[in-house]
Amino acid sequence: MKLYLNSCEPAEIREIARWGILDGVTMNPTMVAALNRDYVKNLQEICAIADMDVFAQVVAEPAERMAEEAKALAAIHPRIIVKVQTNAEGVQAIRQLKRAGIRTCATAIHSTLEAIAVGRAGADHAAVFIGLLGEVDENPTEQLIATIREIYDQHAIETQLMAAVRSAAQLVQSLASGADEITAPYGVWKLFFQNGHTLARWNAFASNWKKAYGDRNWITGY
């Protein structure tokens, strides 16, 4: 299981990276454009935060230009994984990049057919956009993950199945349904330690200890 943060904001990434359970960072062109910073400098800053994978996306469309951009991104830092559009040009680029030894993630997948195509092409990761589907499709999103998982397993496809989620419920359902990894925005990550029962219990522990011992340090006795 791997957990990724969907963000291109260095401050958010530093905060979550300190927890010690962050495996990497994903981002997309819309997020990068909204940040409105130098793309390469921001990528370099993110890569320097921790020893983790950083997923960066190409924006070109023909396969040859996708591959060209992908090689330039991969040259920025060895931990960069290149996100490639899931379409006919994208799968051609994925095959080219696989031969060149560049890791790829087929992105914005919304169907089993697309997941089959990118798995066959040899993508290292397949990012299924559960978040959007959960808002516009009446079908259970966990079934999509489970179906792709079954196909990948039956045919020994090594592509890592990633669920891009927008809620805590989608995160849990996706991992329970067979996703290898998830990516979630900062707001969802902040929910990891916001359970009211857990917070109340810890506050009770701390309060009871303070009533008995005050501010004394139990290690030193002072």
Side-chain angles (χ1 to χ4, degrees):
M1 177 180 70
K2 289 190 176 181
L3 305 176
Y4 299 117
L5 171 64
N6 193 35
S7 174
C8 58
E9 174 52 67
E12 293 179 351
I13 298 166
R14 286 191 184 92
E15 177 186 346
I16 303 303
R18 283 196 292 269
W19 297 4
I21 62 172
L22 180 65
D23 291 296
V25 173
T26 65
M27 65 191 76
N28 62 52
T30 298
M31 295 163 55
V32 173
L35 198 61
N36 195 27
R37 295 180 186 168
D38 183 282
Y39 185 36
V40 173
K41 288 182 179 179
N42 199 60
L43 266 180
Q44 291 171 331
E45 182 177 354
I46 291 171
C47 290
I49 290 173
D51 184 21
M52 61 185 179
D53 288 330
V54 176
F55 292 73
Q57 188 167 337
V58 300
V59 293
E61 294 187 9
E64 292 74 16
R65 287 193 59 204
M66 286 183 187
E68 181 182 356
E69 281 193 11
K71 291 173 183 177
L73 285 172
I76 293 172
H77 195 277
R79 294 301 297 270
I80 286 181
I81 298 173
V82 180
K83 295 175 65 179
V84 178
Q85 295 92 313
T86 301
N87 55 28
E89 294 293 325
V91 294
Q92 294 176 60
I94 287 169
R95 291 186 67 81
Q96 291 181 37
L97 294 169
K98 187 174 182 66
R99 289 193 292 268
I102 293 174
R103 294 183 295 165
T104 59
C105 173
T107 192
I109 293 170
H110 294 89
S111 73
T112 306
L113 281 175
E114 291 171 340
I116 292 170
V118 301
R120 181 65 182 86
D124 296 284
H125 304 260
V128 182
F129 276 29
I130 294 300
L132 179 61
L133 282 175
E135 297 172 0
V136 302
D137 197 319
E138 71 277 10
N139 297 312
T141 54
E142 59 265 31
Q143 186 57 54
L144 175 60
I145 293 293
T147 300
I148 298 170
R149 172 82 280 146
E150 182 179 3
I151 292 170
Y152 278 11
D153 289 347
Q154 285 186 0
H155 297 277
I157 295 174
E158 297 181 356
T159 301
Q160 295 294 290
L161 179 55
M162 179 192 297
V165 305
R166 292 183 179 177
S167 71
Q170 290 177 346
L171 186 157
V172 172
Q173 290 166 358
S174 294
L175 289 174
S177 300
D180 296 298
E181 49 199 16
I182 62 91
T183 184
Y186 176 78
V188 174
W189 272 85
K190 294 292 285 184
L191 296 176
F192 269 100
F193 306 113
Q194 292 298 319
N195 185 284
H197 297 294
T198 306
L199 293 173
R201 181 51 48 206
W202 171 251
N203 289 336
F205 289 154
S207 177
N208 292 335
W209 181 271
K210 191 174 182 66
K211 287 177 184 177
Y213 299 105
D215 294 324
R216 280 186 297 168
N217 185 323
W218 65 267
I219 298 175
T220 63
Y222 298 102

